[in-house]
């Protein structure tokens, strides 16, 4: 088995899976009907992407754990998603900003992964990129609307910025997994992705009249399986059926 | 001996569960049909990664073929080349409009950020004085629009490229 590729796919797949699960919590709770539908549509795209990615991870691992087993039967420290995607939904502005930070990261990442020498990874990236463009358009427009909206909406989303910015540097974390695959031409450098992310965030913040926080305090650990306290609750919810009735089929 | 043209004809009768006016062939999700030693191979591709209709389409294809005594069928899902709205047939576009869903405009937003929504003519009165209500509609593949002239709310089968 190609251990580093498996790890990489889990990182990619778990980001989609956990954010998809988080967004699905909005189902029936959106501030307006259109947004309820939009957030759950995006959730569906992300879970679909997670399915493709984890299915491929399962082939690489080749231990008989299919994509469902990977999604539902791992322990918390085996999930390699970033801390950003597991943060609570908070209010609508918190959710939108978290989504914007993530989409602004995923779009340039997928753009580069379409060039991967790994055919399946490049096919998944090509497919997912088309969906991600719509996600980024949606989230960035809302960040502008809320930031440049009323005094209250501005203050609220500015507070979201102070809170969530701390989780963004982890998106660009690189270790031997990335370096090994970069050398083989399978994945891209996250440094370029970071540059593009900065550009997008700056442009949107400018329109939205939002400020970057003064400090550059940041958290990490998700890529090694060290999660925030929120992760356990997500898994308790998500894995309930498989834990209560092992191997049950829907 | 079954011919692949016969299989294609049968597939024309399998409809998309979410847009029943379209067949899986009109939609462009069927990529390839081949036959080897009585074994039928069908390659399909999802429209959107999370499209919940894919499993239903696969089951419906099997059911339709089984009704016509074609039972040795292997269906494979491929992701590349990724589906785009260009795979939608001309006939499919026509059927969509007749059904009241605006077919995809062949225009995809160049810049993701700060661009105006696509102008989509109303499928009822053809007015271009319309507005986008939401980029995300009743299914993953549709956006929600309203006509400012005749007030008709309608779905737009959004352009994916």
């Amino acid at each position: 088995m190609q251990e580093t590729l498996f790890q990489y796919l889990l990182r990619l797949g778990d980001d989609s899976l956990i954010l998809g699960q988080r967004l699905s919590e909005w189902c029936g709770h959106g501030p307006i009907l259109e947004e309820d539908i939009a957030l759950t549509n995006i959730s569906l795209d992300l879970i679909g992407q997670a399915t493709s990615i984890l299915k491929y991870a399962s082939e690489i691992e080749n231990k008989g754990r299919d994509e469902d087993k990977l999604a539902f039967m791992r322990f918390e420290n085996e999930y390699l998603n970033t801390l950003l995607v597991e943060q609570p939904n908070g209010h609508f502005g918190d959710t939108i900003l978290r989504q914007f930070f993530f989409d602004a990261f995923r779009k340039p990442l997928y753009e580069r992964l379409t060039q991967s020498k790994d055919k399946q990874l490049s096919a998944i990236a090509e497919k997912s990129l088309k969906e991600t463009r719509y996600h980024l358009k949606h989230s960035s427009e809302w960040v502008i609307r809320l930031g440049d909206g009323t005094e209250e909406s501005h203050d609220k989303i500015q507070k979201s910025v102070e809170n969530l910015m701390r989780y963004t540097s982890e998106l660009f974390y690189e270790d031997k997994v990335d370096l090994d695959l970069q050398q083989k031409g399978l994945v891209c450098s996250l440094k370029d992705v970071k540059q593009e992310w900065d550009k997008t965030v700056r442009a949107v913040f400018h329109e939205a009249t939002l400020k970057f926080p003064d400090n550059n305090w940041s958290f990490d650990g998700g890529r090694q399986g060290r999660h925030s306290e929120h992760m356990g609750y997500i898994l308790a919810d998500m894995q309930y059926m498989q834990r209560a009735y092992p191997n049950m089929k829907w | 001996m079954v011919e692949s043209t016969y299989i294609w004809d049968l597939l024309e009768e399998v409809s998309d569960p979410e847009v029943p006016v379209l067949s899986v062939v009109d939609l462009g999700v069927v990529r390839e049909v081949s036959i080897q030693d009585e074994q039928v191979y069908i390659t399909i591709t999802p429209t959107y990664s999370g499209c919940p209709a894919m499993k239903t389409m696969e089951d419906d294809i099997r059911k339709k073929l089984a009704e016509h005594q074609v039972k040795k069928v292997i269906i494979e899902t491929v992701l590349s080349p990724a589906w785009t709205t260009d795979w939608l047939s001309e006939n499919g576009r026509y059927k969509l409009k007749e059904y009241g869903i605006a077919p995809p405009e062949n225009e995809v937003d160049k810049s993701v950020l700060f661009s105006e929504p696509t102008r989509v003519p109303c499928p009822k009165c053809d007015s271009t004085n319309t507005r986008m209500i939401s980029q995300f509609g009743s299914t993953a593949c549709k956006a929600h629009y309203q006509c400012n002239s005749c007030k008709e709310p309608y779905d737009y089968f959004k352009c994916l490229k």
Side-chain angles (χ1 to χ4, degrees):
Chain A
M1 172 182 60
Q2 299 151 276
E3 177 62 32
T4 50
L5 181 56
F6 178 64
Q7 295 288 317
Y8 187 89
L9 290 169
L10 288 185
R11 292 175 178 183
L12 197 63
D14 288 345
D15 274 355
S16 300
L17 178 69
I18 300 301
L19 187 56
Q21 173 73 17
R22 263 293 184 229
L23 286 177
S24 75
E25 292 169 17
W26 275 103
C27 187
H29 300 275
I32 48 170
L33 185 58
E34 284 77 9
E35 278 313 302
D36 198 289
I37 292 170
L39 293 173
T40 44
N41 257 285
I42 295 168
S43 163
L44 189 63
D45 284 343
L46 287 169
I47 290 171
Q49 294 171 13
T51 310
S52 305
I53 299 164
L54 294 179
K55 189 172 178 190
Y56 185 42
S58 132
E59 286 165 29
I60 294 294
E61 190 195 34
N62 198 18
K63 283 189 185 160
R65 287 200 287 182
D66 67 7
E67 64 272 27
D68 286 329
K69 281 230 160 59
L70 285 174
F72 295 110
M73 303 298 276
R74 277 180 292 155
F75 292 111
E76 182 179 321
N77 60 2
E78 296 169 297
Y79 284 82
L80 304 181
N81 54 281
T82 56
L83 302 180
L84 176 70
V85 298
E86 69 198 40
Q87 295 311 302
N89 284 338
H91 55 66
F92 180 68
D94 290 326
T95 293
I96 282 297
L97 188 74
R98 182 187 64 199
Q99 191 65 34
F100 169 64
F101 282 159
F102 183 75
D103 295 338
F105 157 67
R106 265 299 170 84
K107 180 182 158 280
L109 177 66
Y110 278 142
E111 278 169 352
R112 284 160 182 78
L113 288 180
T114 56
Q115 306 300 320
S116 171
K117 283 186 186 160
D118 182 304
K119 284 218 171 68
Q120 185 61 15
L121 184 55
S122 125
I124 291 169
E126 188 197 348
K127 179 91 217 146
S128 308
L129 174 61
K130 297 175 195 304
E131 297 155 3
T132 305
R133 285 201 193 106
Y134 276 112
H135 302 171
L136 178 58
K137 191 167 166 55
H138 174 257
S139 58
S140 59
E141 281 173 0
W142 269 109
V143 169
I144 293 167
R145 205 168 299 156
L146 294 173
D148 193 23
T150 66
E151 206 174 309
E152 189 185 348
S153 74
H154 174 87
D155 289 350
K156 273 184 153 178
I157 197 162
Q158 183 63 52
K159 284 206 181 78
S160 314
V161 173
E162 314 286 331
N163 175 33
L164 290 171
M165 190 63 90
R166 300 175 289 180
Y167 299 99
T168 55
S169 63
E170 194 193 14
L171 295 169
F172 311 100
Y173 171 90
E174 283 182 332
D175 64 7
K176 60 179 183 357
V177 169
D178 301 79
L179 299 177
D180 175 53
L181 298 172
Q182 283 172 23
Q183 219 163 29
K184 294 178 182 151
L186 301 184
V187 308
C188 60
S189 156
L190 292 175
K191 292 189 185 73
D192 307 343
V193 175
K194 167 86 167 113
Q195 270 184 3
E196 203 167 319
W197 184 87
D198 280 337
K199 223 171 85 188
T200 309
V201 174
R202 260 174 231 291
V204 170
F205 273 25
H206 178 74
E207 284 291 311
T209 69
L210 290 171
K211 284 197 202 69
F212 282 82
D214 293 331
N215 67 60
N216 54 2
W217 175 253
S218 70
F219 293 114
D220 61 38
R223 293 295 190 221
Q224 286 79 38
R226 293 193 311 274
H227 294 280
S228 61
E229 73 267 31
H230 309 295
M231 186 67 179
Y233 292 94
I234 299 177
L235 295 184
D237 219 20
M238 195 177 93
Q239 299 185 333
Y240 173 78
M241 290 301 263
Q242 281 301 327
R243 296 288 179 197
Y245 306 97
N247 299 319
M248 64 91 63
K249 292 241 185 274
W250 191 249
Chain B
M1 178 67 195
V2 184
E3 297 277 335
S4 65
T5 48
Y6 176 66
I7 304 292
W8 279 106
D9 287 345
L10 290 178
L11 292 176
E12 287 276 6
E13 295 170 28
V14 179
S15 58
D16 172 354
E18 285 182 342
V19 191
V21 70
L22 291 181
S23 78
V24 292
V25 177
D26 293 329
L27 191 62
V29 303
V30 180
R31 278 283 158 84
E32 220 179 301
V33 175
S34 63
I35 299 163
Q36 259 177 359
D37 307 327
E38 305 285 303
Q39 176 77 58
V40 178
Y41 296 89
I42 299 175
T43 311
I44 58 175
T45 190
T47 51
Y48 282 74
S49 297
C51 178
M54 285 310 288
K55 180 78 178 74
T56 312
M57 286 189 213
E58 202 179 311
D59 293 345
D60 290 351
I61 289 173
R62 283 184 200 287
K63 208 171 129 204
K64 173 61 74 183
L65 295 183
E67 280 167 16
H68 293 80
Q69 314 311 319
V70 182
K71 288 183 177 151
K72 285 175 75 180
V73 181
I74 292 178
I75 301 179
E76 199 202 349
T77 305
V78 295
L79 293 179
S80 181
W83 183 87
T84 68
T85 33
D86 288 344
W87 289 85
L88 200 67
S89 71
E90 266 312 305
N91 193 23
R93 298 175 62 88
Y94 173 78
K95 284 192 207 165
L96 274 177
K97 185 165 185 290
E98 288 295 294
Y99 191 63
I101 297 175
E105 291 294 309
N106 265 339
E107 172 190 333
V108 76
D109 302 320
K110 281 244 165 46
S111 74
V112 169
L113 299 172
F114 315 127
S115 55
E116 288 293 306
T118 311
R119 286 256 164 236
V120 179
C122 171
K124 294 283 178 212
C125 73
D126 294 319
S127 164
T128 50
N129 181 14
T130 62
R131 67 194 174 107
M132 186 178 78
I133 305 282
S134 172
Q135 191 73 76
F136 297 88
S138 56
T139 68
C141 52
K142 289 184 237 126
H144 191 195
Y145 273 71
Q146 185 172 21
C147 178
N148 292 330
S149 305
C150 74
K151 307 294 178 210
E152 176 79 4
Y154 59 94
D155 273 336
Y156 165 53
F157 201 106
K158 66 190 177 203
C159 186
L160 196 69
K161 285 205 177 180

